[in-house]
Amino acid sequence: MLVLHYTGMRDATAALDRLCDPAARVSAHYLVEEDGTIWRLVPESRRAFHAGVSCWEGERDLNSVSIGVEIVNPGHEWGYRPFAEAQMAAVERLCREILQRHPIPGHRVVGHADIAPERKTDPGELFDWPRLAGAGIGIWPEPSAVPSSGPVDHTQALADLATIGYCLAAETPAITAFQRRFRPARIDGVIDNQTAARLNEVQAAFARSRGSGISSGSPSG
Ligand SMILES: [Zn+2]
């Protein structure tokens, strides 16, 4: 897996200090500064401590199967702000190189909030997932136009959420994490008509990525 984070600290120096402090027991394979500087902190062959208590596709020991990239941003606690162009260009280049070395499928490229929705919000709603998907990194289907109100099939929406890979220990945080990544216009943890429609098109894209051909939104079954 490839797990993207923001540092959520005041600046890059504070983040680097913490990631290099053995007592902190946190680490990541890479850190990308706002000016695009990339630090390699842990060899890719080694396990880093970045995912914490987390879950994706029913799998739980994610540090053992993932590469973690920390992207410098103060985060929601210290003043969340857009990711700089030079930084995004570096993230894109780094992720592309990682994917050349490791056959990580699109459905296993995630944000920290996706795998730990009850604890984490990173890299957050300002992160440019569409740009990365355009570069072949992760999955972000173009959203189709959907009316803001309409009937919602709650059961189907939760099934779609699980198909994508979210673990449903708690529903609202998982929906919120999904919205942060795939429907950032409104992040409230509520399965409204647009969220339900977005869930369905995203799960179809994830299902295609897995090669299963299962798409609950298509009549073919
Ligand atoms: Zn994180």
Side-chain angles (χ1 to χ4, degrees), residues 1 18 30 35 68 107 119 133 145 162 165 167 169 172-173 188 208-209 216:
M1 293 180 68
R18 183 166 157 77
Y30 297 96
D35 68 1
H107 59 91
R119 302 186 300 117
C167 299
T172 304
D188 57 7
R208 280 196 299 277
S209 166
S216 65

Side-chain angles (χ1 to χ4, degrees), residues 136-219:
I137 303 152
I139 298 171
W140 202 92
E142 276 304 313
S144 40
V146 175
S148 56
S149 62
V152 171
D153 184 340
H154 201 84
T155 306
Q156 180 65 55
L158 293 182
D160 289 345
L161 197 60
T163 300
I164 294 165
Y166 289 91
C167 299
L168 299 177
E171 176 186 322
T172 304
I175 291 291
T176 304
F178 169 83
Q179 290 172 329
R180 243 181 245 292
R181 178 162 170 194
F182 294 103
R183 209 283 299 260
R186 189 154 132 207
I187 303 162
D188 57 7
V190 175
I191 306 175
D192 55 20
N193 190 46
Q194 288 177 334
T195 298
R198 187 65 175 139
L199 274 162
N200 198 253
E201 65 192 0
V202 171
Q203 74 75 29
F206 272 67
R208 280 196 299 277
S209 166
R210 294 190 182 96
S212 66
I214 296 166
S215 167
S216 65
S218 77

Side-chain angles (χ1 to χ4, degrees), residues 3-7 50-51 70 112-113 120 122-123:
V3 182
L4 304 186
H5 303 255
Y6 66 44
T7 50
H50 61 95
E70 287 280 359
H112 199 186
K120 297 293 176 179
D122 60 314

